[in-house]
Amino acid sequence: MTDHRQQQAVLDDQMQLKSLAARKYAQQQKQPNADQRVTQFLPMVHKLVSKVTSYLQPPLTRDDLVSAGTIGLIKAAHDYDSTKNAEFQTYAYIRIRGAIIDELRSWSFAPPSLNKQLQEAQTIHDEVMAHTGHSPSDEEVAKKMGIGVDKLYKTYEQGRARYFLSMSGYTEDEPALANVLAGSESGQPEQRIEREELVHDLADAIERLPQKQRQIVILYYQQELTMKEIAEVLEITESRVSQLHSSAVFKLGSLLKDHDNAR
């Protein structure tokens, strides 16, 4: 009986070693593919970070965001399963973007004083919308707040991180406003319905924006031009594009909040 148990134990050990060897071999075979994907798609990390930093000017450095995005890419390369996941480029984009946004969310962008100013502007915007059915002009909001328009633009620009994150989507399963503006499609019926509702609301809101703000939104999100390129197209300064873009994002961020509350 003892010899039988010993033989069985040896067989069990051999099977376990074979299983471990098979897994190790599979990992070794997968590693070159993963490394190749990281090298191939690393430019995507830099492209996404460049878009964020040119828009947000966050307290994080560019290197911080590149590091976060690269970690997202590495994880995507190692976790990718072609039998279960979508095309790797799409899968990597989602993981990289998610890692960058998580890094941004880990920082507190707005001090209490700025949050108070943004909330005051939000209240004025909502009240004017309720009474008139249209968004107030920047001059109107600034006058009601008792500040100059330049100060209002500075407030919007300092608070852009909040609206960037809301425009980047609530969760991985819900639609992102930026994706809707860019015209991305969803494969799930319920997500398509949700997107159609959001597109309808967005189209209405974009139509109510002042002409230059409307043009900037379309050029930035649909045509994917940079702030510098938009400045050249509209023949205004890059700083002016930044100001008008911040105001437009504030108004569209309000719409996103209303859409979320109505769900």
Side-chain angles (χ1 to χ4, degrees):
M1 182 66 70
T2 301
D3 290 342
H4 177 71
R5 288 177 178 175
Q6 290 175 341
Q7 291 174 356
Q8 186 61 45
V10 170
L11 290 173
D12 289 344
D13 288 343
Q14 290 176 341
M15 291 296 293
Q16 185 176 7
L17 288 172
K18 286 181 180 179
S19 178
L20 289 171
R23 288 201 297 271
K24 186 67 175 177
Y25 177 77
Q27 290 173 355
Q28 289 173 345
Q29 292 297 104
K30 184 178 180 181
Q31 186 65 37
N33 290 334
D35 292 344
Q36 185 178 5
R37 290 190 186 109
V38 170
T39 302
Q40 181 182 355
F41 288 95
L42 192 58
M44 184 188 291
V45 174
H46 291 271
K47 182 178 180 180
L48 286 172
V49 169
S50 293
K51 194 169 181 66
V52 170
T53 53
S54 68
Y55 166 52
L56 277 182
Q57 301 175 346
L60 295 170
T61 66
R62 177 186 173 85
D63 289 342
D64 290 328
L65 297 180
V66 168
S67 295
T70 302
I71 291 172
L73 173 59
I74 292 171
K75 289 181 178 179
H78 285 273
D79 295 344
Y80 180 67
D81 184 345
S82 60
T83 64
K84 296 180 180 179
N85 297 313
E87 182 183 354
F88 180 73
Q89 182 173 352
T90 302
Y91 180 67
Y93 177 89
I94 293 171
R95 294 292 296 270
I96 294 167
R97 178 176 163 277
I100 292 172
I101 289 175
D102 285 344
E103 187 72 11
L104 289 170
R105 282 202 176 104
S106 69
W107 285 74
S108 176
F109 288 89
S113 58
L114 178 58
N115 279 325
K116 183 178 179 181
Q117 289 177 323
L118 289 169
Q119 186 57 53
E120 184 180 358
Q122 181 74 64
T123 300
I124 292 170
H125 180 274
D126 292 346
E127 288 176 349
V128 173
M129 278 289 294
H131 284 89
T132 67
H134 65 78
S135 294
S137 66
D138 297 327
E139 290 76 12
E140 188 176 356
V141 174
K143 183 177 180 180
K144 287 180 178 294
M145 290 179 66
I147 60 176
V149 177
D150 287 342
K151 172 64 175 176
L152 178 65
Y153 284 141
K154 185 176 180 181
T155 299
Y156 284 158
E157 288 183 307
Q158 289 175 333
R160 271 195 298 201
R162 171 192 293 183
Y163 297 101
F164 169 77
L165 291 175
S166 70
M167 291 182 75
S168 296
Y170 321 87
T171 69
E172 292 182 357
D173 299 324
E174 294 178 322
L177 182 55
N179 288 343
V180 172
L181 286 166
S184 61
E185 295 291 342
S186 171
Q188 298 298 322
E190 63 275 11
Q191 291 177 334
R192 284 201 300 270
I193 293 172
E194 174 69 18
R195 182 179 181 277
E196 287 171 3
E197 293 175 353
L198 188 51
V199 165
H200 180 272
D201 290 342
L202 272 173
D204 180 62
I206 291 172
E207 278 299 313
R208 297 184 183 186
L209 291 175
Q211 182 182 9
K212 272 198 166 54
Q213 292 187 14
R214 184 167 64 249
Q215 291 173 331
I216 288 169
V217 166
I218 292 171
L219 291 172
Y220 187 83
Y221 290 103
Q222 291 186 339
Q223 303 303 319
E224 297 189 339
L225 269 62
T226 64
M227 295 287 185
K228 183 177 180 180
E229 291 169 338
I230 294 172
E232 293 173 355
V233 170
L234 298 182
E235 298 182 341
I236 57 178
T237 65
E238 191 173 346
S239 62
R240 182 59 175 163
V241 172
S242 178
Q243 290 177 339
L244 295 175
H245 180 261
S246 298
S247 177
V249 168
F250 177 84
K251 294 180 177 71
L252 293 177
S254 299
L255 172 64
L256 182 63
K257 175 181 68 69
D258 294 340
H259 178 83
D260 189 26
N261 290 339
R263 295 177 64 213

